[in-house]
C-alpha cells in the first residue's frame, strides 16, 4: 500500500464516522507565541480544546504537516542515526471536541488498524496511563484483545503535553511487534513495558485524551470539555505496511535516496558507508522545502534560524558523503514532484524554494570561509600563549555568530592538537537559552490569560459591523481592568470594553486597530486601540475620559472617520503594491509581513537584491497608474477552495476559515483579506515610496505613503529643497548641480591636503635609514600627530616603496584616539608576516583592536597616551610572527 493510499484511506475512514476533513494548517502556527512550529495535528485546534474558539463541527480529521526541531519535542540529533526519527513528518489524526471520548476513540483506532489496514491483532500491544481505568477497560472490551496485550505505563511514556504549556492529558499507544527475532535489547523479558528502545517494537499511533490545560506555573486545570487528539505518523505506518524496517526505505523517501545516490555516483557499498549522511540530506532537504513553501526564510532568529540550521546541517552531511557543489535544489525538486499533488503550495512556490536553497548554499560557503579565518585567529592566540584548550565561549560564538558548525571546530582543533572546552560551550548556550526563555515567558503570560477564557465561557460574542458602518449602537457585555473582570469603570481608569456589536476594526492581517469613542449614558471611553485576543470577541482598549461606563450600558460606538479613511487608503494601496511587485520583480516577490497604519504602509516581501532606482520608479508608476484608472474594489465571500481555484492570493502563515473574504481590484489584484478597503482605487489619491531596504536574508521592506500622507511628505521635501537652495544661493532646480560641483571641489581639496601633509610630514630617507633589521626584514615605526588614516597610508606607501623587504607601522593621535596603520611588502608576507594580525596585536596596548590583510592592516584604540608603547612593541611582534612561521616549516 502506497503512502498516498494510506493517507487517503485514513481520512475517508474518519469521514465515514462523521468527521470533517480539515486541510493541514501551515508549519508556522498562527497567533501562538508558545510554538516555533506546528509540531502536532492538534495545534490548529488548540483554542478549541481550550474553550477559546468554537468550530461548526465537533469531529475532525486531518493529515497535518509537522516539524520537531526545537523545544520540548526536538528530534534533530536523532535524524540520521535513527531509521525512524525526522524533522518534518506528516501526522494523521482524528479529533473530538467534547463529542466522543476514550471508549469510541480506542474502538475507532483498533478497527482502522486491523480492518482497514489489515494488521493482525496479534501483532499489536496497547499501553495506557497507569491510573486510567477507563482506557484500560475500553481495550479489553474489544473482541480478541487479551489482558496481557494492554500495559499500564507511567507519566514518562503515557502522558502527553504539546509544549511546556497548553492542552495535555493521559495517552494510550498502539505498538507494532516485529517479532522476537528482531529484538535488539537482549533482555529475556523483552517488552514495550521496559521502554528501553528495543527495535522489536514500533509505536504507530498515540491517542491523547485531552483533559487538562498545563499552566506556566506547572499546575494542571481541567478543560471545559474533554476531547480526543490522536496522532499516527504517516512515515511509521507506511514502513509497517510496506514491510520496511527503515522509514527511509519506503516510497516516502526512496525517490530522494535514489536521487542522492545518482548525483554522487555511488555504488551500493559506498551508499551504505554514507547512509547516515544520505538520511540527513533526504530528511533535511524535505523539511527545508516544506518550510520555505510555508513562508519561512533562512535568517538569524527564531524559526528563520532553525531553517538555516537544518539547511547547513544537510550541507555539512552532504559534504561528508562527497558533494562538492550545490545539491539541495535537486533534492527539493524530488520533494515537489512527489508531494506536490497533495500539498499544492510546493508546486506554487517551486521557483522560490529552489532559489532560496541555492542562495543559502552559496552563503554557507562564505560562512565557512569567514568562520575558518576567525577560528585561525583564535587558535593562533591560544598557541601563542602556550595553551591547548579552545575556550567554549569562542566555540559558541563561532557557532552562534558565524554559523560555523561546532563539529568542524572540533575536527580542526584535533588536527592542531587542541581540545575543546565543551562545558564552557554549554554554559554559553544555556545563557542564551535563559535570555530566550525570559522573552518567551513574557509572551506566554498574555496568551494564557484566564480572564479572556472566562469571557468566552459565558458565550460572549462580538459581531463586527464596521465594513458598512462607522457608528453603531451596541451593548457592553464585559469590562476588563488590570486583567480582572469589573462591573463598572470610573473616570481615569484604563479599561478594555467588550461590546456585542462594534464598527471598530480589531488589529489583524497587518492592519492596525481603529481609534474613536464609546459614548454611554453616563460617560465616554476614548478608544486608542482594538484587539481580538480570541476569535470570539474584540476588546476596545482605552481610558474612561469622563463619567463612568458599566456592564449592560447601551452605548454608541463611534470610529474616528479620518483615521479609518487614511488606513483604508493604505490598505487598498498595499494590495496594489503587492501585485505590482510580483509583476515587475517576479512571482517570488510575495508578502512576508505588513503594517497598515493611518500615516504609512510598510510592506515586507521576498526578494534577493536591493531594488534599483529604476525598479522603484516602475513599481511606483504601476501602482499610480492603477489608482488613476479608477478601478472598482469589490468584496465577495466564498468557500476557501473556490477562492484558491480562482487564483486568489493567500498569504503565508495566515489562518483561514472555510468561508473566506475575497478583495478584488477589477481583474488586477485578488487576495484573501479581512481588512477594510476603499470602494475605488481613485480614492487612494497617490502612492509615494519613501524608503526601501533589507531587513533580513531574502526579505526587503518598502515604506510608502498615500493620500494626505503623500501630500504632506511632498510638502516636507519641497521645504527641504527650498532651504537648501537658500543656503546655496541658487534656484531650487539648480540645487543638484550645485551640490555636485561642491562635492567635486571637496574631493579635490582632500587630495591636495593629503599630498601637502605627506610632503610636510615625511622624510622617507631618514625613516628608512633608522629602520631596525630583523632576520633580513627592515622594520620602520613612526609617530605623527593629527594625521588621519588615509594620510598615514599614503606615507606608508612611500616608505614601503623605499624599504625593500620590510614592515611599516605608523601611528597617529586624532581626536584623542590612537590610529595605527601596518604594511608589509610581499616578500615579507611570504616569510610569515601578516600586517592585519600585527596591527591587532599592538592595538591591544592602546585598549583597542584591529585587523586586515597580510599586506595591509588598520587598528586603533582609546588609550592614545599608550601609542609610543604600542609602536615599541612592533619589533617583538615581528620576531614572534617569524618564529611561528619557522615552527610551521619545521
Amino acid at each position: 500500500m502506497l503512502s498516498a493510499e494510506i493517507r487517503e484511506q485514513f481520512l475517508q475512514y474518519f469521514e465515514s464516522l462523521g468527521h470533517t476533513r480539515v486541510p493541514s494548517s501551515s508549519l508556522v502556527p498562527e497567533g501562538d507565541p508558545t510554538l516555533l512550529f506546528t509540531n502536532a495535528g492538534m495545534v490548529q485546534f488548540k483554542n478549541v480544546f481550550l474553550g477559546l474558539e468554537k468550530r461548526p463541527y465537533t469531529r475532525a480529521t486531518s493529515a497535518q504537516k509537522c516539524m520537531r526541531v526545537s523545544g520540548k519535542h526536538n528530534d534533530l540529533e536523532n535524524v540520521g542515526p535513527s531509521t525512524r526519527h525526522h524533522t518534518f513528518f506528516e501526522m494523521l489524526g482524528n479529533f473530538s471536541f467534547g463529542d466522543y471520548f476514550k471508549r469510541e476513540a480506542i474502538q475507532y483506532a483498533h478497527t482502522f488498524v486491523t480492518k482497514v489496514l489489515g494488521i493482525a491483532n496479534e501483532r499489536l500491544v496497547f499501553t495506557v496511563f497507569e491510573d486510567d481505568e477507563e482506557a484500560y477497560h475500553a481495550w479489553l472490551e474489544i473482541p480478541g484483545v487479551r489482558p496481557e496485550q494492554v500495559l499500564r505505563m507511567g507519566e514518562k511514556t503515557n502522558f502527553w503535553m504539546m509544549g511546556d504549556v497548553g492542552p495535555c492529558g493521559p495517552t494510550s499507544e498502539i505498538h507494532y511487534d516485529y517479532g522476537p527475532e528482531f529484538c535488539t535489547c537482549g533482555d529475556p523479558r523483552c517488552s514495550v513495558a521496559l521502554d528501553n528502545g528495543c527495535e522489536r517494537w514500533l509505536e504507530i499511533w498515540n491517542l491523547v485524551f485531552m483533559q487538562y490545560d498545563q499552566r506556566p506555573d506547572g499546575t494542571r486545570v481541567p478543560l471545559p470539555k474533554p476531547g480526543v487528539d490522536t496522532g499516527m505518523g504517516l512515515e511509521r505506518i507506511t514502513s509497517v505496511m510496506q514491510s520496511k524496517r527503515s522509514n527511509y526505505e519506503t516510497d516516502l523517501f526512496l525517490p530522494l535516496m535514489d536521487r542522492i545516490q545518482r548525483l554522487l555516483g555511488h555504488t551500493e557499498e559506498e551508499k551504505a558507508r554514507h547512509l547516515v549522511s544520505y538520511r540527513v540530506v533526504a530528511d533535511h532537504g524535505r523539511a527545508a522545502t516544506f518550510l520555505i513553501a510555508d513562508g519561512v526564510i533562512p535568517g538569524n532568529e527564531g524559526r528563520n534560524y532553525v531553517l538555516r540550521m537544518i539547511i547547513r546541517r544537510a550541507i555539512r552531511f552532504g559534504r561528508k558523503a562527497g558533494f562538492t557543489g550545490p545539491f539541495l535544489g535537486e533534492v527539493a525538486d524530488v520533494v515537489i514532484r512527489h508531494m506536490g499533488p497533495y500539498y499544492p503550495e510546493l508546486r506554487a512556490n517551486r521557483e522560490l524554494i529552489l532559489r532560496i536553497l541555492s542562495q543559502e548554499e552559496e552563503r554557507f560557503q562564505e560562512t565557512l570561509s569567514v568562520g575558518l579565518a576567525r577560528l585561525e585567529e583564535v587558535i593562533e592566540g591560544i598557541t601563542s600563549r602556550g595553551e591547548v584548550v579552545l575556550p567554549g565561549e569562542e566555540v559558541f560564538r563561532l557557532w552562534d555568530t558565524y554559523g560555523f558548525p561546532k563539529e568542524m571546530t572540533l575536527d580542526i582543533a584535533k588536527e592542531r592538537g587542541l581540545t575543546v572546552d565543551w562545558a564552557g560551550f554549554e554554559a554559553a548556550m544555556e545563557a542564551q537559552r535563559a535570555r530566550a526563555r525570559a522573552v518567551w515567558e513574557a509572551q506566554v503570560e498574555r496568551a494564557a490569560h484566564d480572564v479572556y477564557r472566562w469571557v468566552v465561557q459565558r458565550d460572549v460574542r462580538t459581531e463586527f459591523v464596521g465594513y458598512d458602518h462607522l457608528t453603531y449602537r451596541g451593548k457592553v457585555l464585559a469590562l476588563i481592568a488590570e486583567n480582572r473582570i469589573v462591573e463598572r469603570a470610573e473616570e481615569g481608569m484604563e479599561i478594555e470594553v467588550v461590546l456585542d456589536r462594534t464598527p471598530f476594526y480589531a488589529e489583524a492581517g497587518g492592519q492596525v486597530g481603529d481609534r474613536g469613542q464609546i459614548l454611554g449614558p453616563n460617560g465616554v471611553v476614548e478608544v486608542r486601540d482594538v484587539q481580538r485576543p480570541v476569535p470570539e470577541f474584540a476588546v476596545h482598549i482605552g481610558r474612561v475620559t469622563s463619567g463612568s461606563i458599566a456592564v449592560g450600558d447601551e452605548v454608541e460606538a463611534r470610529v474616528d472617520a479620518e483615521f479609518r479613511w487614511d488606513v483604508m487608503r493604505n490598505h487598498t494601496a498595499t494590495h496594489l503594491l503587492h501585485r505590482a511587485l510580483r509583476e515587475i520583480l517576479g512571482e517570488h516577490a510575495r508578502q512576508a509581513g505588513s503594517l497598515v497604519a493611518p500615516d504609512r504602509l510598510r510592506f515586507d516581501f521576498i526578494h534577493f537584491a536591493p531594488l534599483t532606482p529604476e525598479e522603484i520608479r516602475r513599481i511606483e508608476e504601476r501602482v499610480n497608474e492603477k489608482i488613476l484608472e479608477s478601478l472598482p474594489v469589490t468584496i465577495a465571500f466564498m468557500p476557501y477552495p473556490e477562492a484558491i481555484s480562482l487564483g486568489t492570493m493567500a498569504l503565508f502563515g495566515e489562518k483561514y476559515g472555510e468561508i473566506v473574504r475575497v478583495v478584488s481590484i477589477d481583474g488586477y489584484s485578488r487576495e484573501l483579506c479581512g481588512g477594510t478597503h476603499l470602494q475605488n482605487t481613485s480614492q487612494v489619491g497617490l502612492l509615494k515610496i519613501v524608503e526601501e531596504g533589507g531587513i533580513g536574508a531574502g526579505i526587503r521592506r518598502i515604506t510608502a505613503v498615500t493620500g494626505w500622507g503623500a501630500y504632506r511628505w511632498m510638502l516636507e521635501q519641497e521645504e527641504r529643497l527650498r532651504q537648501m537652495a537658500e543656503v546655496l544661493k541658487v534656484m531650487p532646480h539648480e540645487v543638484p548641480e550645485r551640490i555636485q560641483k561642491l562635492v567635486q571641489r571637496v574631493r579635490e581639496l582632500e587630495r591636495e591636503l593629503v599630498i601637502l601633509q605627506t610632503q610636510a610630514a615625511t622624510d622617507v630617507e631618514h625613516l628608512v635609514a633608522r629602520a631596525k633589521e630583523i632576520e633580513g626584514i627592515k622594520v620602520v615605526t613612526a609617530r605623527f600627530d593629527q594625521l588621519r588614516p588615509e594620510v598615514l597610508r599614503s606615507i606608508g606607501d612611500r616608505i614601503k616603496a623605499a624599504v625593500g623587504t620590510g614592515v611599516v607601522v605608523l601611528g597617529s593621535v586624532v581626536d584623542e584616539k590612537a590610529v595605527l596603520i601596518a604594511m608589509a611588502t610581499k616578500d615579507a608576507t611570504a616569510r610569515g608576516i601578516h600586517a592585519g594580525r600585527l596591527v591587532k596585536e599592538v592595538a591591544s596596548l592602546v585598549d583597542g583592536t584591529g585587523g586586515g590583510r597580510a599586506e595591509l592592516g588598520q587598528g586603533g584604540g582609546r588609550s592614545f597616551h599608550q601609542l609610543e608603547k604600542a609602536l615599541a612593541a612592533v619589533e617583538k611582534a615581528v620576531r614572534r610572527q617569524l618564529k611561528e612561521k619557522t615552527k610551521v616549516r619545521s
Side-chain angles (χ1 to χ4, degrees):
M1 189 180 287
L2 297 175
S3 56
E5 294 175 303
I6 297 171
R7 183 196 296 118
E8 186 58 30
Q9 286 205 17
F10 181 92
L11 296 171
Q12 287 182 1
Y13 170 73
F14 280 101
E15 279 183 311
S16 72
L17 294 170
H19 293 63
T20 297
R21 185 187 297 214
V22 180
S24 171
S25 63
S26 169
L27 286 168
V28 179
E30 193 264 337
D32 189 342
T34 68
L35 288 175
L36 269 183
F37 297 108
T38 299
N39 61 6
M42 62 75 59
V43 169
Q44 67 169 309
F45 305 115
K46 177 179 174 181
N47 281 345
V48 183
F49 282 116
L50 285 172
L52 295 174
E53 180 185 352
K54 289 190 176 180
R55 298 280 179 100
Y57 45 80
T58 58
R59 299 181 174 204
T61 184
S62 69
Q64 174 64 49
K65 299 177 292 186
C66 297
M67 282 286 296
R68 289 189 177 175
V69 286
S70 60
K72 187 178 181 67
H73 299 286
N74 186 349
D75 289 339
L76 183 63
E77 294 303 321
N78 293 321
V79 175
S82 167
T83 61
R84 301 173 179 177
H85 287 88
H86 304 287
T87 51
F88 170 88
F89 63 98
E90 290 182 81
M91 185 174 281
L92 307 176
N94 59 288
F95 308 90
S96 165
F97 313 119
D99 191 324
Y100 61 84
F101 202 41
K102 297 177 184 179
R103 185 170 177 273
E104 294 90 338
I106 287 170
Q107 290 174 345
Y108 293 160
H110 188 268
T111 300
F112 179 76
V113 171
T114 58
K115 300 293 191 288
V116 179
L117 297 183
I119 297 174
N121 177 67
E122 292 72 27
R123 286 282 191 182
L124 303 175
V125 172
F126 315 104
T127 66
V128 297
F129 186 53
E130 54 195 357
D131 298 331
D132 196 341
E133 296 297 328
E134 185 180 353
Y136 180 79
H137 291 291
W139 281 114
L140 294 182
E141 288 176 11
I142 297 173
V145 174
R146 306 180 310 278
E148 57 268 25
Q149 283 180 276
V150 186
L151 307 176
R152 296 179 186 268
M153 304 281 280
E155 186 163 316
K156 178 186 173 185
T157 60
N158 281 70
F159 197 94
W160 191 90
M161 297 172 62
M162 185 182 68
D164 291 328
V165 298
C168 59
T171 72
S172 182
E173 298 173 343
I174 302 177
H175 294 256
Y176 179 78
D177 181 4
Y178 282 106
E181 65 273 24
F182 290 101
C183 173
T184 57
C185 70
D187 192 316
R189 303 167 300 143
C190 184
S191 165
V192 171
L194 297 180
D195 187 31
N196 59 5
C198 181
E199 294 186 11
R200 171 181 173 178
W201 314 97
L202 178 67
E203 179 198 332
I204 58 174
W205 204 342
N206 191 10
L207 316 180
V208 180
F209 306 122
M210 290 290 185
Q211 291 180 254
Y212 309 105
D213 176 23
Q214 177 90 6
R215 300 296 175 80
D217 63 3
T219 58
R220 290 173 184 162
V221 179
L223 291 170
K225 290 184 179 179
V228 173
D229 153 34
T230 85
M232 176 161 62
L234 178 61
E235 290 75 10
R236 289 194 175 192
I237 193 62
T238 300
S239 71
V240 172
M241 296 304 295
Q242 295 180 4
S243 301
K244 303 295 183 184
R245 294 306 308 280
S246 168
N247 294 353
Y248 295 94
E249 295 173 3
T250 68
D251 71 324
L252 286 164
F253 284 95
L254 268 181
L256 295 169
M257 303 289 274
D258 290 345
R259 174 64 68 89
I260 295 166
Q261 186 175 7
R262 285 197 299 273
L263 289 171
L264 288 168
H266 279 175
T267 63
E268 287 300 315
E269 291 75 16
E270 289 171 319
K271 175 184 175 182
R273 282 201 302 273
H274 296 287
L275 195 54
V276 168
S277 293
Y278 270 63
R279 291 171 182 164
V280 171
V281 170
D283 175 274
H284 290 13
R286 189 170 81 140
T289 301
F290 272 93
L291 281 172
I292 296 169
D294 274 357
V296 183
I297 304 295
N300 295 323
E301 293 181 358
R303 57 181 62 95
N304 308 89
Y305 176 75
V306 172
L307 172 58
R308 173 163 286 168
M309 178 179 65
I310 66 170
I311 289 174
R312 291 183 173 183
R313 191 169 188 261
I315 296 170
R316 187 164 59 80
F317 276 88
R319 285 168 174 258
K320 281 187 176 182
F323 283 114
T324 56
F327 60 89
L328 281 176
E330 295 280 351
V331 175
D333 232 1
V334 178
V335 176
I336 294 165
R337 188 168 66 251
H338 284 268
M339 304 290 278
Y342 192 75
Y343 296 106
E345 62 270 24
L346 295 175
R347 289 174 170 173
N349 293 291
R350 180 180 180 275
E351 177 194 347
L352 176 67
I353 292 165
L354 300 184
R355 187 167 182 176
I356 286 176
L357 288 173
S358 173
Q359 183 186 59
E360 196 62 17
E361 286 188 276
E362 291 173 14
R363 186 185 295 271
F364 188 45
Q365 185 57 48
E366 296 170 8
T367 292
L368 288 178
S369 300
V370 173
L372 281 169
R374 172 63 187 153
L375 180 57
E376 281 299 323
E377 287 183 12
V378 174
I379 289 175
E380 282 183 18
I382 291 169
T383 54
S384 69
R385 296 191 297 271
E387 299 171 2
V388 294
V389 179
L390 203 57
E393 190 176 338
E394 287 290 352
V395 178
F396 177 78
R397 188 176 294 114
L398 278 165
W399 176 77
D400 186 51
T401 304
Y402 299 95
F404 196 77
K406 58 183 185 292
E407 294 82 0
M408 290 184 71
T409 301
L410 177 61
D411 291 342
I412 293 168
K414 283 181 178 176
E415 290 169 8
R416 305 289 284 273
L418 302 173
T419 59
V420 175
D421 170 25
W422 288 118
F425 177 89
E426 290 299 329
M429 172 76 83
E430 183 52 40
Q432 187 191 62
R433 284 179 184 145
R435 290 191 294 271
R437 197 179 301 122
V439 174
W440 173 81
E441 286 172 353
Q443 291 175 318
V444 170
E445 186 177 354
R446 180 169 176 85
H449 269 339
D450 286 337
V451 65
Y452 298 133
R453 191 175 307 165
W454 184 92
V455 176
V456 170
Q457 289 169 6
R458 276 142 189 82
D459 212 28
V460 170
R461 300 289 183 271
T462 300
E463 179 189 354
F464 176 61
V465 297
Y467 292 135
D468 304 309
H469 304 276
L470 290 180
T471 301
Y472 210 81
R473 299 290 299 178
K475 183 178 181 180
V476 177
L477 300 180
L479 294 173
I480 302 167
E482 297 180 347
N483 301 327
R484 294 182 298 107
I485 300 294
V486 297
E487 290 298 314
R488 176 181 296 275
E490 302 294 340
E491 184 173 334
M493 285 181 65
E494 293 289 329
I495 195 71
E496 295 179 26
V497 183
V498 180
L499 303 177
D500 61 344
R501 286 183 291 275
T502 183
F504 283 83
Y505 183 83
E507 181 178 337
Q511 179 176 328
V512 299
D514 278 328
R515 290 192 321 212
Q517 291 181 321
I518 296 174
L519 301 142
N522 303 306
V524 177
V525 176
E526 198 71 33
V527 178
R528 64 174 180 272
D529 190 17
V530 184
Q531 296 288 326
R532 194 172 282 272
V534 294
E536 278 69 22
F537 63 82
V539 292
H540 304 72
I541 302 167
R543 176 187 287 267
V544 182
T545 55
S546 68
S548 64
I549 188 170
V551 173
D553 280 356
E554 295 288 339
V555 298
E556 181 175 272
R558 196 179 288 175
V559 175
D560 182 327
E562 184 179 342
F563 182 95
R564 170 71 78 81
W565 270 99
D566 286 340
V567 169
M568 290 195 297
R569 289 188 186 97
N570 283 329
H571 204 153
T572 299
T574 297
H575 285 221
L576 292 172
L577 176 63
H578 191 186
R579 183 70 192 118
L581 284 166
R582 285 162 40 229
E583 277 186 320
I584 291 163
L585 302 180
E587 287 297 321
H588 68 275
R590 298 177 60 139
Q591 180 172 336
S594 71
L595 170 69
V596 179
D599 58 332
R600 72 196 186 284
L601 69 88
R602 193 180 68 209
F603 192 80
D604 302 337
F605 59 98
I606 298 168
H607 194 56
F608 307 96
L611 300 193
T612 65
E614 174 60 19
E615 285 172 331
I616 293 173
R617 185 195 64 76
R618 288 174 60 204
I619 292 163
E620 190 175 84
E621 191 174 88
R622 185 65 167 150
V623 173
N624 284 301
E625 177 186 308
K626 294 301 173 184
I627 291 170
L628 292 172
E629 285 179 9
S630 299
L631 303 176
V633 181
T634 58
I635 308 296
F637 291 87
M638 62 186 71
Y640 178 82
E642 181 184 342
I644 297 303
S645 70
L646 293 173
T648 306
M649 173 66 69
L651 303 182
F652 288 138
E654 288 292 325
K655 185 177 179 180
Y656 299 106
E658 294 177 13
I659 302 297
V660 292
R661 184 172 181 262
V662 180
V663 177
S664 301
I665 303 178
D666 199 34
Y668 182 66
S669 165
R670 185 185 287 115
E671 293 191 22
L672 300 183
C673 180
T676 59
H677 285 271
L678 303 168
Q679 294 178 323
N680 190 287
T681 59
S682 64
Q683 294 170 306
V684 174
L686 173 74
L687 175 132
K688 179 64 187 170
I689 295 173
V690 297
E691 191 176 323
E692 188 277 335
I695 60 168
I699 304 289
R700 308 297 298 177
R701 170 173 289 174
I702 279 177
T703 302
V705 288
T706 66
W708 286 109
Y711 175 68
R712 285 189 290 268
W713 182 86
M714 284 189 285
L715 286 180
E716 290 169 5
Q717 304 309 306
E718 190 177 66
E719 176 60 19
R720 288 194 185 101
L721 184 60
R722 188 195 64 76
Q723 290 174 4
M724 284 190 287
E726 191 175 300
V727 170
L728 297 169
K729 295 182 170 50
V730 296
M731 297 296 289
H733 68 273
E734 295 173 325
V735 167
E737 183 183 353
R738 180 66 175 145
I739 290 175
Q740 192 172 9
K741 287 180 179 179
L742 286 172
V743 169
Q744 187 176 343
R745 181 59 182 146
V746 167
R747 286 173 180 162
E748 289 171 359
L749 291 170
E750 284 175 343
R751 283 194 293 269
E752 290 173 14
L753 179 63
V754 169
I755 292 168
L756 290 171
Q757 287 181 323
T758 301
Q759 291 172 346
T762 313
D763 181 349
V764 171
E765 290 181 6
H766 174 68
L767 289 173
V768 173
R770 66 184 184 85
K772 292 186 179 179
E773 190 166 319
I774 302 172
E775 298 181 26
I777 294 177
K778 291 183 178 178
V779 179
V780 178
T781 62
R783 170 176 176 162
F784 304 89
D785 285 327
Q786 299 304 320
L787 294 189
R788 296 190 175 277
E790 57 269 23
V791 181
L792 291 180
R793 280 197 295 271
S794 178
I795 296 171
D797 285 335
R798 291 178 62 197
I799 297 172
K800 196 168 76 165
V803 81
T805 300
V807 175
V808 181
V809 180
L810 306 177
S812 179
V813 176
V814 180
D815 298 331
E816 295 190 343
K817 289 182 182 177
V819 176
L820 288 159
I821 295 290
M823 294 179 171
T825 58
K826 281 191 177 179
D827 42 5
T829 63
R831 293 187 55 190
I833 299 299
H834 191 288
R837 293 201 290 270
L838 182 65
V839 77
K840 181 179 181 181
E841 182 177 342
V842 298
S844 66
L845 297 174
V846 291
D847 293 328
T849 187
R853 307 188 307 274
E855 294 181 32
L856 175 64
Q858 181 174 330
R862 63 179 181 273
S863 299
F864 63 90
H865 53 282
Q866 296 288 341
L867 182 57
E868 292 291 350
K869 183 178 178 182
L871 292 170
V874 170
E875 183 182 340
K876 187 176 181 182
V878 169
R879 291 183 188 279
R880 187 181 297 112
Q881 288 196 355
L882 291 171
K883 186 177 180 182
E884 287 176 359
K885 182 70 173 180
T886 304
K887 269 187 184 178
V888 171
R889 282 178 182 158
S890 62

